Amino acid sequence: MRELSLNVLDIVQNSISAKSTIVNIEVNFYDKNKMRISITDDGCGMNQEQVMKVIDPFYTTRKTRKVGLGIPLFKMAAELTGGSLVIRSLPEKGTHISAEFVTDSIDMTPLGDMNSTILLLVRCNPDVDFVYSLTKDNDKREFNTKEIREILGEVPLDHPDVLEWIDGYLKEQFA
């Protein structure tokens, strides 16, 4: 994929398909040239055999196609930089995927537009809670739909005015 934000979108869609009600997305820049992207959900999880299979591009649980490229491409993007991918999952508990990248590698894929990715996830999945955090130079920014939902009461997250506000908030906080 051209941007890591698209890998994140694909993996989070897997989380939503796995019946997640909350998805945590963390981007952490550290040690001057390292970046970690972690996605944690509370979905149906996987057993160890399934965890081993999801890194195979010719394995998928979908019936509509015979390949599943999201996680294998994410793993490849990390490894091309000298980084790595770790998957931890337990049935009925959820899944944690963490990819580490060496950001000064010539093979580093751009992070891309995470703000648009988060906005699209909220727009298309207004009943799922998302927590997105970005940490860089010891400055941590966080966006949490559960907090917004508590303030809004009955107003849905996919209401056009709410989405417009979320878009502005993400642009301001995560510039």
Side-chain angles (χ1 to χ4, degrees):
M1 293 191 193
R2 292 182 180 170
E3 298 178 352
L4 295 173
S5 62
L6 298 176
N7 290 102
V8 170
L9 179 65
D10 182 74
I11 292 167
V12 172
Q13 282 304 125
N14 292 343
S15 295
I16 293 164
S17 296
K19 310 275 189 266
S20 296
T21 59
I22 185 162
V23 180
N24 289 290
I25 303 161
E26 297 177 55
V27 178
N28 185 7
F29 291 89
Y30 62 100
D31 288 349
K32 296 184 184 176
N33 71 336
K34 300 273 177 51
M35 177 181 67
R36 181 176 297 115
I37 298 175
S38 300
I39 301 155
T40 306
D41 68 49
D42 67 346
C44 64
M46 298 178 282
N47 61 39
Q48 281 310 111
E49 181 182 338
Q50 290 170 312
V51 169
M52 296 306 295
K53 286 182 177 179
V54 296
I55 59 173
D56 178 355
F58 300 104
Y59 172 79
T60 184
T61 58
R62 293 183 182 149
K63 307 293 183 221
T64 56
R65 64 179 191 234
K66 297 181 190 280
V67 295
L69 296 175
I71 292 174
L73 287 175
F74 196 47
K75 179 179 186 282
M76 183 182 74
E79 290 176 348
L80 281 172
T81 70
S84 61
L85 179 99
V86 174
I87 303 173
R88 292 191 312 268
S89 188
L90 290 171
E92 307 307 319
K93 298 290 184 187
T95 301
H96 173 82
I97 297 175
S98 182
E100 184 174 297
F101 300 84
V102 178
T103 58
D104 58 3
S105 168
I106 192 167
D107 293 314
M108 179 65 191
T109 303
L111 179 58
D113 189 352
M114 284 298 296
N115 291 346
S116 292
T117 296
I118 300 302
L119 183 64
L120 181 62
L121 286 167
V122 172
R123 175 176 293 166
C124 295
N125 307 283
D127 296 327
V128 175
D129 279 319
F130 297 98
V131 179
Y132 167 54
S133 65
L134 174 69
T135 305
K136 190 173 186 178
D137 301 325
N138 295 320
D139 178 27
K140 183 175 182 177
R141 307 287 173 103
E142 187 172 280
F143 169 78
N144 186 335
T145 58
K146 186 174 182 180
E147 293 173 358
I148 296 169
R149 194 182 312 280
E150 288 171 1
I151 293 168
L152 292 175
E154 298 294 317
V155 180
L157 290 177
D158 60 350
H159 186 282
D161 291 339
V162 174
L163 290 170
E164 184 179 340
W165 181 86
I166 290 172
D167 184 36
Y169 179 84
L170 290 169
K171 287 176 180 171
E172 179 182 309
Q173 293 299 311
F174 297 90

